[in-house]
Amino acid sequence: MTIKMKSYLGYIAALCLLTPFSGVAQRSNVRAADRLLQSDKPNYTEIRRLIKLAEEHEDTKGDAYTYYVKGLVEHTLYKTEFRKVTTPGSVGDTAKMFRHVIDELVGWRRADSIERQPDPSTGRIVLKYQKKIQDYVREDAPKMYEAGLFWLDRKKYAESTAAFSAALEAQRLLLPIGRKELPTDTTVANLAYYALVSAYTGELYPEVIRLGELYRDVAANKNEVYQFLAKAHMAMQDTVGAMPFLEEGIRLYPETTFYFGSMISIYQAQGRYKEAVALIDKALKVTPDNPNLLVLRGNVYFLAQEWDRAVEVYRQVLRQNPDNYDALFNLGQVYYNQAVSILANPLSSRLEEKKAKEYFRQSLPQLEAAYKVAPDQVRDLLGNVYYRLGLEKKYAELYTDKSSSK
């Protein structure tokens, strides 16, 4: 046993003579952990045990030194693994390395928070560890970004989100005293964007919303970011929460139909058809011939069962683009629904039944054209029309084609 190791063991033994619940003992525990960390072969189990005791004690759980050493433990483990990964002939664990570099912020973020608070007795801010922490963070922050890309590439979205979030927290730790807002530079903008991309791709919707509240004003690709936030709220059935982002998206990006389309869908679901049409008309002022918006306008009339208006709009779209699938299929459905609604009345006259048959005939060319684009989506409705019109041969061919295509 070396003299150096004996001295550490003697130091630990001396600690045992102190009352284990005293603040003095806990501060000594942190010092002991710090010294053990500097040994040739640190005993991390013992180091973590000592730090945990200090974190749990009333006198030391608010001490910046406790959390400075806690962060230093993870930094030391990160550097150890980094040397293994980058040294030829040595075997290292890249994932383990990245986890340690992220975990170092847990302690340092707490230490920084404590140090930035004025001393209750003097009102002064005393910085003992900030410069050391900032030096470490400045060196390690690029590795946190790399960690995010590493996990994102492996589709580990929770870990990539945590890594990019940590890299953003690292930027906060580098702020001078008195400043809270992150700089609006490309580093912060890209980190915020990638954090949101990771969370949204991983369907971590509460995290998308949390990150959005923190970083939406500094993130790159703000148009996409607003869409992520609106979609996250809608995925959680929170249309009220989605509305501000949809409204702001319409204001900032009127050419992006997502915002209009989503708000219109919400209005439709709530039966607010007049508001939906008014919103579409507003969007059409920006892009008057936008076929997607025109189809949406037709869909609103469709849902409101204003059949004549729906037909007018769908035909307007087809005059511009005769192959527009949505307009073809929906126009076919309008005629079909009109026919079925007539036949659903047990008191319908022969004249009315004749009119229903005419509606079926009008639906036929629209559905046949739509069938060429998306046969699986149209087949059953088209088959029903063939059946209603007595076109048994075409009906049989329709389902023969289905079985032969398998």
Side-chain angles (χ1 to χ4, degrees):
M1 184 180 294
T2 64
I3 295 174
K4 188 176 182 181
M5 183 57 70
K6 286 180 179 178
S7 66
Y8 284 132
L9 292 176
Y11 190 79
I12 296 297
L15 288 178
C16 295
L17 299 176
L18 297 171
T19 306
F21 299 105
S22 70
V24 174
Q26 300 313 319
R27 292 186 188 92
S28 298
N29 280 340
V30 178
R31 287 194 295 273
D34 194 359
R35 293 186 183 185
L36 286 171
L37 195 58
Q38 298 170 44
S39 66
D40 294 333
K41 293 183 179 181
N43 182 340
Y44 289 104
T45 300
E46 178 61 15
I47 292 169
R48 284 192 167 119
R49 188 187 73 81
L50 293 170
I51 293 297
K52 187 172 185 295
L53 288 172
E55 284 185 277
E56 292 172 348
H57 196 277
E58 194 65 31
D59 290 342
T60 46
K61 69 180 183 181
D63 190 334
Y65 183 43
T66 300
Y67 301 98
Y68 166 71
V69 176
K70 181 182 175 75
L72 196 58
V73 172
E74 300 301 328
H75 171 78
T76 305
L77 286 164
Y78 151 65
K79 294 299 286 186
T80 299
E81 207 61 41
F82 174 76
R83 284 190 289 271
K84 292 179 185 177
V85 169
T86 57
T87 301
S90 181
V91 179
D93 186 331
T94 304
K96 190 175 181 182
M97 174 189 75
F98 283 137
R99 289 191 180 107
H100 284 309
V101 79
I102 299 304
D103 288 344
E104 71 183 47
L105 284 184
V106 175
W108 284 342
R109 186 167 53 235
R110 178 73 174 127
D112 179 80
S113 175
I114 292 169
E115 284 211 311
R116 288 175 187 260
Q117 301 301 316
D119 184 276
S121 57
T122 64
R124 295 172 53 209
I125 292 176
V126 180
L127 303 176
K128 293 182 180 179
Y129 307 104
Q130 189 196 58
K131 185 179 184 307
K132 291 180 181 179
I133 289 172
Q134 288 186 337
D135 287 344
Y136 286 128
V137 168
R138 196 172 286 109
E139 177 188 351
D140 295 351
K143 265 290 183 280
M144 297 172 193
Y145 173 69
E146 285 183 38
L149 296 177
F150 175 84
W151 294 119
L152 185 60
D153 185 56
R154 285 154 181 78
K155 296 181 172 55
K156 300 286 188 180
Y157 299 115
E159 293 194 81
S160 64
T161 302
F164 289 124
S165 298
L168 285 162
E169 287 299 321
Q171 297 300 314
R172 286 191 186 280
L173 291 181
L174 296 174
L175 293 174
I177 293 295
R179 184 170 172 182
K180 296 181 179 179
E181 300 299 323
L182 287 173
T184 54
D185 58 26
T186 54
T187 298
V188 170
N190 289 329
L191 285 171
Y193 173 70
Y194 277 117
L196 282 156
V197 167
S198 296
Y200 179 75
T201 307
E203 300 181 359
L204 308 170
Y205 299 126
E207 188 66 3
V208 173
I209 293 167
R210 186 190 73 82
L211 289 168
E213 289 174 354
L214 291 172
Y215 303 118
R216 67 173 180 262
D217 293 330
V218 298
N221 304 312
K222 191 173 288 187
N223 190 348
E224 282 187 65
V225 167
Y226 273 72
Q227 292 184 53
F228 292 154
L229 289 165
K231 289 176 181 177
H233 280 286
M234 289 189 291
M236 298 177 68
Q237 309 299 315
D238 178 16
T239 55
V240 173
M243 275 298 189
F245 299 106
L246 295 174
E247 290 168 351
E248 185 69 359
I250 287 173
R251 188 182 70 81
L252 294 173
Y253 311 103
E255 73 287 353
T256 303
T257 57
F258 163 78
Y259 301 108
F260 286 106
S262 298
M263 282 190 70
I264 290 161
S265 296
I266 291 170
Y267 286 150
Q268 287 176 336
Q270 295 172 347
R272 298 160 64 183
Y273 299 120
K274 288 183 179 179
E275 290 166 271
V277 170
L279 190 60
I280 294 168
D281 288 343
K282 181 179 178 181
L284 285 168
K285 288 179 181 178
V286 179
T287 54
D289 296 323
N290 187 313
N292 295 326
L293 288 172
L294 287 170
V295 168
L296 282 172
R297 200 177 199 275
N299 293 350
V300 173
Y301 290 134
F302 183 108
L303 290 171
Q305 296 188 17
E306 296 185 30
W307 307 120
D308 291 342
R309 287 186 171 185
V311 168
E312 181 184 345
V313 175
Y314 292 140
R315 288 209 173 278
Q316 181 183 348
V317 175
L318 292 172
R319 281 195 292 273
Q320 296 175 12
N321 179 9
D323 298 322
N324 186 294
Y325 167 78
D326 291 319
L328 287 167
F329 183 60
N330 292 348
L331 181 56
Q333 283 193 96
V334 168
Y335 288 132
Y336 178 86
N337 286 1
Q338 286 178 288
V340 170
S341 64
I342 291 172
L343 297 177
N345 182 1
L347 301 177
S348 59
S349 65
R350 290 200 173 195
L351 184 62
E352 288 171 323
E353 289 174 2
K354 186 177 179 181
K355 188 177 181 180
K357 198 164 189 177
E358 183 57 33
Y359 280 136
F360 283 129
R361 288 196 184 98
Q362 287 179 291
S363 74
L364 190 55
Q366 324 304 327
L367 295 176
E368 285 180 329
Y371 177 79
K372 293 176 182 178
V373 179
D376 289 341
Q377 295 178 41
V378 183
R379 180 177 284 108
D380 289 340
L381 186 60
L382 179 58
N384 208 331
V385 172
Y386 283 150
Y387 179 80
R388 298 271 192 172
L389 293 174
L391 301 173
E392 291 88 355
K393 185 177 179 182
K394 282 189 170 290
Y395 179 88
E397 288 174 353
L398 189 69
Y399 289 95
T400 301
D401 290 345
K402 179 183 178 183
S403 59
S404 62
S405 64
K406 289 185 178 180

